[in-house]
């Protein structure tokens, strides 16, 4: 094992990376709070500023994927589709099978210049997660409780507010509503059978309300829907902890572009279109599992240096005073100060681990198990 590889496995290094992310995130959140005064003066300027502030935070996670772990992402698509990347407002449909599926999506948005302005329809619980939810709040992310009767007005209002967004945005939808697990899949297929819908092997039954509402509200703003089907070579199931330990993965993403005018305006027909799309996604996953490759031309967009430079900037600004302070604490010889400093380190470690836990499948929500609970 080389020295760099050894460093990537050390807890203290992980703690320092987490310290930089958390403290820079709190600084960014404070700056975002201050920018609220810009909203009534110049809303579009407020949005552009917050896109760049969000980029400064999210790109640190992308840096871990691209530069720290060296994970490679290959696109399977066609040249005409790739030529549109970063040049239009779009809705992204991504399968929700992996702990780092969002991070693979982010690395593509970064390489095509739309990371800061990327959007998502997120569960409301994330609004209260420090750094993640707070940053999303200032980015006008649409939050939902995943109960359509309560969400309808909030979601429609949030989507319509994005109709004049000044920078190209990729709006991410996890139409399955939750991450894939065997239990959720079994329940989902029972629902599919009861509704007379074809069963899926690799996906949960898509929930259509969010998709049809997004298409309806963003029609005239969004140009297309990008269907993205993600898988990893070698049947790997990567995690954020694995990325932190420097494990390299190879992600393959099949991207298909559907002009918005090809999607029916009628809600029921649009829902049927989505169900058909997921049947096609299932076929793509079957092909990948059998042949180890998606159809289409292969593209490997080069990683850009900005994520690494951004992290190095924050690390320089934040770690220099931390090392100076830590050295002073131990040099003082005061047991009270040393214990307080070690307590701070322990609290920081706990906080970083909790943030990582948000991505773990086994700690995911019980959403998707509701029918099972009713049966019990």
């Amino acid at each position: 094992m080389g020295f760099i590889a050894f460093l990537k496995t050390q807890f203290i290094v992980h703690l320092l990376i987490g310290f930089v992310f958390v403290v820079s995130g709190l600084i960014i959140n404070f700056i975002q709070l201050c920018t609220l005064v810009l909203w009534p003066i110049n809303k579009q300027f407020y949005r552009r500023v917050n896109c760049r502030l969000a980029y400064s935070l999210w790109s640190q996670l992308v840096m871990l994927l691209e530069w720290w772990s060296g994970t490679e992402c290959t696109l399977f698509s066609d040249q005409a589709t790739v030529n549109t990347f970063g040049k239009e407002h779009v809705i992204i449909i991504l399968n929700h099978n992996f702990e780092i599926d969002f991070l693979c999506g982010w690395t593509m948005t970064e390489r095509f210049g739309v990371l800061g302005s990327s959007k998502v329809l997120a569960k409301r619980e994330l609004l209260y997660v420090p750094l993640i939810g707070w940053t999303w709040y200032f980015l006008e992310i649409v939050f939902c409780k995943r109960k359509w009767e309560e969400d309808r007005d909030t979601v429609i209002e949030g989507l319509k507010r994005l109709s004049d967004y000044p920078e190209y945005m990729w709006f991410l939808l996890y139409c399955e509503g939750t991450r894939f697990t065997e239990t959720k899949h079994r329940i989902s297929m029972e629902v599919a059978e009861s509704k007379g819908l074809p069963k899926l092997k690799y996906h949960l039954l898509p929930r259509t309300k969010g998709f049809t509402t997004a298409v309806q509200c963003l029609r005239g703003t969004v140009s297309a829907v990008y269907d993205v089907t993600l898988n990893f070579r070698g049947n790997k199931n990567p995690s954020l902890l694995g990325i932190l330990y420097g494990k390299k993965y190879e992600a393959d993403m099949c991207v298909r572009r559907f002009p918005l005018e090809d999607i029916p305006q009628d809600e029921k027909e649009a829902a049927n279109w989505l169900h058909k799309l997921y049947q096609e996604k299932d076929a793509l996953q079957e092909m990948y599992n059998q042949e180890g490759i998606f159809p289409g031309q292969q593209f490997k967009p080069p990683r850009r240096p900005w994520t690494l430079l951004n992290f190095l900037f924050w690390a320089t600004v934040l770690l220099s005073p931390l090392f100076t302070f830590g050295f002073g604490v131990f040099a003082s010889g005061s047991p009270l100060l040393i214990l307080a400093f070690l307590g701070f380190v322990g609290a920081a470690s706990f906080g970083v681990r909790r943030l990582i836990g948000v991505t773990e499948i086994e700690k995911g929500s019980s959403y998707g198990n509701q029918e099972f609970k009713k049966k019990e």
Side-chain angles (χ1 to χ4, degrees):
M1 178 185 292
F3 180 67
I4 299 298
F6 172 76
L7 282 180
K8 292 180 179 180
T9 65
Q10 300 307 296
F11 170 74
I12 187 63
V13 176
H14 303 162
L15 191 59
L16 291 174
I17 292 173
F19 173 82
V20 172
F21 179 75
V22 170
V23 177
S24 66
L26 293 174
I27 294 172
I28 288 169
N29 286 162
F30 177 74
I31 297 173
Q32 288 181 303
L33 181 64
C34 295
T35 64
L36 285 175
V37 298
L38 297 173
W39 180 270
I41 302 171
N42 191 326
K43 182 175 68 173
Q44 303 296 40
F45 181 64
Y46 162 89
R47 286 169 160 174
R48 294 182 187 278
V49 169
N50 274 277
C51 283
R52 282 143 187 82
L53 290 171
Y55 177 89
S56 189
L57 184 60
W58 301 148
S59 65
Q60 295 181 49
L61 297 178
V62 175
M63 183 281 299
L64 289 177
L65 185 78
E66 294 184 337
W67 295 92
W68 186 256
S69 81
T71 292
E72 296 182 357
C73 294
T74 302
L75 297 180
F76 292 78
S77 191
D78 59 84
Q79 189 64 58
T81 295
V82 173
N83 289 343
T84 65
F85 290 172
K87 300 175 183 177
E88 59 182 350
H89 296 299
V90 297
I91 293 172
I92 305 287
I93 297 177
L94 177 63
N95 54 306
H96 209 6
N97 300 70
F98 305 98
E99 290 184 10
I100 65 165
D101 46 33
F102 76 98
L103 199 49
C104 292
W106 273 0
T107 193
M108 285 298 107
T109 62
E110 199 289 319
R111 294 183 190 194
F112 291 102
V114 291
L115 173 60
S117 57
S118 61
K119 309 294 180 190
V120 65
L121 182 61
K123 57 185 179 182
R124 189 165 182 81
E125 296 97 309
L126 291 176
L127 174 60
Y128 308 105
V129 176
L131 308 184
I132 299 172
W134 299 350
T135 303
W136 275 351
Y137 171 80
F138 294 108
L139 281 178
E140 303 169 76
I141 293 299
V142 182
F143 293 96
C144 64
K145 299 178 182 178
R146 299 191 290 196
K147 296 178 181 178
W148 184 244
E149 296 76 15
E150 300 178 29
D151 288 332
R152 179 181 174 85
D153 293 340
T154 302
V155 170
I156 290 176
E157 180 184 353
L159 289 170
K160 288 185 175 179
R161 192 167 54 239
L162 297 175
S163 62
D164 64 341
Y165 211 76
E167 305 212 355
Y168 291 125
M169 63 175 177
W170 287 11
F171 191 95
L172 172 62
L173 288 176
Y174 287 118
C175 294
E176 295 162 270
T178 186
R179 278 198 177 94
F180 184 101
T181 66
E182 290 300 330
T183 299
K184 292 175 181 178
H185 179 254
R186 175 175 56 80
I187 296 169
S188 181
M189 292 308 98
E190 290 175 2
V191 174
E193 185 175 9
S194 69
K195 293 183 176 181
L197 295 168
K199 290 187 178 181
L200 303 172
K201 186 176 179 180
Y202 302 102
H203 300 86
L204 305 180
L205 193 68
R207 298 175 185 258
T208 61
K209 286 292 185 182
F211 172 74
T212 57
T213 302
V215 169
Q216 181 181 14
C217 292
L218 295 176
R219 196 176 288 273
T221 300
V222 165
S223 303
V225 170
Y226 292 169
D227 170 53
V228 183
T229 305
L230 169 69
N231 212 324
F232 289 87
R233 296 181 191 178
N235 200 28
K236 297 289 181 63
N237 192 11
S239 66
L240 192 55
L241 273 178
I243 295 296
L244 200 56
Y245 274 86
K247 293 182 179 179
K248 181 177 180 178
Y249 302 102
E250 293 179 292
D252 289 332
M253 307 171 77
C254 180
V255 184
R256 300 182 296 162
R257 182 183 186 275
F258 298 91
L260 204 67
E261 55 266 24
D262 291 352
I263 300 173
Q265 296 192 26
D266 178 76
E267 182 178 352
K268 185 176 181 180
E269 292 181 7
N272 291 335
W273 184 92
L274 183 65
H275 283 300
K276 182 176 180 293
L277 181 77
Y278 267 79
Q279 293 165 32
E280 295 172 358
K281 289 173 74 69
D282 226 45
L284 286 170
Q285 291 286 30
E286 180 69 24
M287 174 184 177
Y288 189 88
N289 286 337
Q290 291 182 0
E291 303 179 16
I293 194 171
F294 285 123
Q297 186 179 351
Q298 294 188 33
F299 300 87
K300 285 192 176 182
R303 61 186 180 181
R304 306 193 305 171
W306 313 122
T307 57
L308 180 61
L309 293 174
N310 174 75
F311 178 79
L312 292 176
F313 164 77
W314 283 112
T316 302
V317 170
L318 298 175
L319 292 183
S320 296
L322 177 67
F323 290 151
T324 302
F325 176 74
F327 178 78
V329 166
F330 285 97
S332 71
S334 169
L336 184 61
L337 282 177
I338 294 174
L339 286 174
F341 182 75
L342 292 176
F344 168 77
V345 171
S349 174
F350 176 76
V352 170
R353 188 63 187 82
R354 288 296 298 271
L355 283 174
I356 292 175
V358 172
T359 71
E360 294 177 346
I361 293 176
E362 64 268 21
K363 295 184 180 178
S365 72
S366 61
Y367 186 68
N369 295 332
Q370 294 169 352
E371 292 86 354
F372 178 72
K373 291 180 179 178
K374 290 177 183 177
K375 290 179 182 180
E376 291 294 310

